[in-house]
Amino acid sequence: MDILVIGSVAFDSVETPFGRGDDVLGGSATYFSTSASFFTGVQLVAVVGEDFPDEPRQFLTSRGVDLAGLQTRPGKTFRWKGRYGYDLNEAHTLETHLNVFETFHPELPDTYRQAKFVFLANIDPELQLEVLQQVEKPKLIACDTMNFWIDGKRDALIRTLGHVDILVINEAEVRQLADEANLVKASRAVLAMGPKTLVVKRGEYGVLVFTEHSIFSAPAYPLEEVFDPTGAGDTFAGGFMGYLAATNNLSDETIRKATVFGSVMASFTVEDFSLDRLRKLTWSEIEDRFRRFQTLTAFEGL
Ligand code: AMP
């Protein structure tokens, strides 16, 4: 089944201790779509400015991403500038320029309205809601967000969460959203806002999946070379949702496997700047790393 995604398509300027990239391709929807495209088709909703070149469009189309919902408007494409220190788990936002997103209102092409799997990637929660108003009967709605929107658009975000089945966010943002320091208590508080499942991304420490009755933990792959964590979260979400949509199954078992596929995909993204590693990635590399995850976490019972 295809996945409908709304999120940012961006130019990022990123500094890490290992190098920098200026105005490179980024955006939550871009990373998400590329990652999910290894599992299923993707329908993308976003806006770019007239400065957006053809090459990334051709790349996304070549990966099976439908760009009928990508509008081009007068003005500049969304830009984000960030820096990472040696603690690569924490991105420091230096600049956010919404540009064409400031006046954007999604209009879903007719072919998108029956989407069964919807991912509201990190973007203004009011735009996330506008997308939900236009889809007919989705089977699964999942959502991401970040501190920028928790601070700036909290009420709209809480409204969006009321419609969401799975929320996928960073550890620090769970605490911020719940206003609670303890992660387990904070997760319970966030589950009470609507989502039935909460996927907490913890950077190099992996992922915790909370439901009302269970907690599942998956590690991050221990990599020797991490260059740029930008997009790891969106790439995780792409693998996670991609696997759920491809199997069209939402059992606990499938959610666990989807969590590992998400972690596999994120482990590749961080190996290079921008989408450079995903552009070269093959399915056999994905399978190989999935098996390594199995070995990494296997142990015998009592
Ligand atoms: P992450 O997966 O969390 O590392 O997300 C990184 C991507 O999020 C970058 O490529 C940015 O372009 C994008 N981004 C940063 N800030 C925002 C924002 N406020 N809204 C939407 N996208 C953003």
Side-chain angles (χ1 to χ4, degrees):
M1 295 236 164
D2 286 1
I3 304 173
L4 166 63
V5 60
I6 175 170
S8 54
V9 173
F11 289 124
D12 292 342
S13 294
V14 181
E15 246 182 82
T16 81
F18 317 107
R20 60 181 298 149
D22 286 310
D23 279 344
V24 295
L25 179 63
S28 56
T30 318
Y31 280 105
F32 177 90
S33 308
T34 306
S35 174
S37 72
F38 284 88
F39 299 85
T40 188
V42 181
Q43 299 174 318
L44 185 144
V45 179
V47 62
V48 291
E50 283 162 333
D51 55 355
F52 197 72
D54 282 339
E55 194 282 330
R57 295 177 207 261
Q58 284 158 7
F59 162 67
L60 289 168
T61 307
S62 75
R63 292 249 23 113
V65 179
D66 183 346
L67 300 183
L70 178 67
Q71 294 181 26
T72 306
R73 294 277 145 167
K76 285 188 167 180
T77 298
F78 179 102
R79 276 171 170 75
W80 177 76
K81 192 171 183 182
R83 184 165 49 213
Y84 297 85
Y86 279 111
D87 178 2
L88 292 167
N89 290 327
E90 205 189 343
H92 302 278
T93 294
L94 303 176
E95 292 172 26
T96 304
H97 301 281
L98 295 176
N99 296 335
V100 284
F101 266 103
E102 271 179 71
T103 52
F104 172 62
H105 291 284
E107 265 175 50
L108 265 50
D110 285 344
T111 47
Y112 283 30
R113 290 176 192 265
Q114 270 137 38
K116 293 292 169 224
F117 288 79
V118 176
F119 189 69
L120 309 171
N122 178 24
I123 198 64
D124 186 336
E126 288 182 21
L127 299 181
Q128 294 178 325
L129 272 173
E130 285 182 37
V131 163
L132 290 186
Q133 282 153 6
Q134 296 175 54
V135 284
E136 280 163 18
K137 257 200 191 153
K139 174 171 173 164
L140 180 79
I141 302 171
C143 172
D144 188 2
T145 192
M146 71 182 289
N147 48 13
F148 188 84
W149 303 113
I150 300 173
D151 276 342
K153 292 264 177 114
R154 192 182 176 88
D155 290 349
L157 179 60
I158 302 281
R159 262 182 281 131
T160 302
L161 291 182
H163 300 276
V164 162
D165 301 299
I166 304 183
L167 177 64
V168 185
I169 55 173
N170 290 342
E171 180 176 7
E173 288 150 5
V174 176
R175 294 196 169 99
Q176 185 189 359
L177 188 56
D179 197 15
E180 163 64 54
N182 178 281
L183 188 61
V184 181
K185 285 188 191 160
S187 298
R188 298 276 164 243
V190 171
L191 285 174
M193 295 175 186
K196 291 186 279 299
T197 302
L198 173 66
V199 181
V200 182
K201 298 172 286 182
R202 305 177 64 231
E204 65 183 308
Y205 306 112
V207 176
L208 287 170
V209 182
F210 290 88
T211 64
E212 197 189 344
H213 303 295
S214 68
I215 305 178
F216 172 63
S217 170
Y221 191 71
L223 290 167
E224 274 191 42
E225 292 186 356
V226 178
F227 280 102
D228 175 14
T230 311
D234 310 306
T235 308
F236 168 87
F240 176 81
M241 283 292 281
Y243 185 72
L244 292 181
T247 53
N248 193 18
N249 180 325
L250 300 176
S251 68
D252 284 355
E253 257 330 288
T254 317
I255 288 184
R256 287 177 177 221
K257 224 165 145 185
T259 305
V260 176
F261 269 114
S263 306
V264 166
M265 298 307 288
S267 76
F268 286 113
T269 287
V270 302
E271 288 179 349
D272 208 338
F273 277 95
S274 181
L275 286 99
D276 293 355
R277 184 64 180 93
L278 292 185
R279 283 175 184 257
K280 293 183 290 205
L281 188 62
T282 63
W283 181 252
S284 67
E285 288 177 308
I286 295 172
E287 282 182 339
D288 179 62
R289 196 159 287 177
F290 186 91
R291 286 194 203 97
R292 287 169 192 262
F293 261 87
Q294 271 183 312
T295 314
L296 179 68
T297 52
F299 57 88
E300 280 182 23
L302 287 175

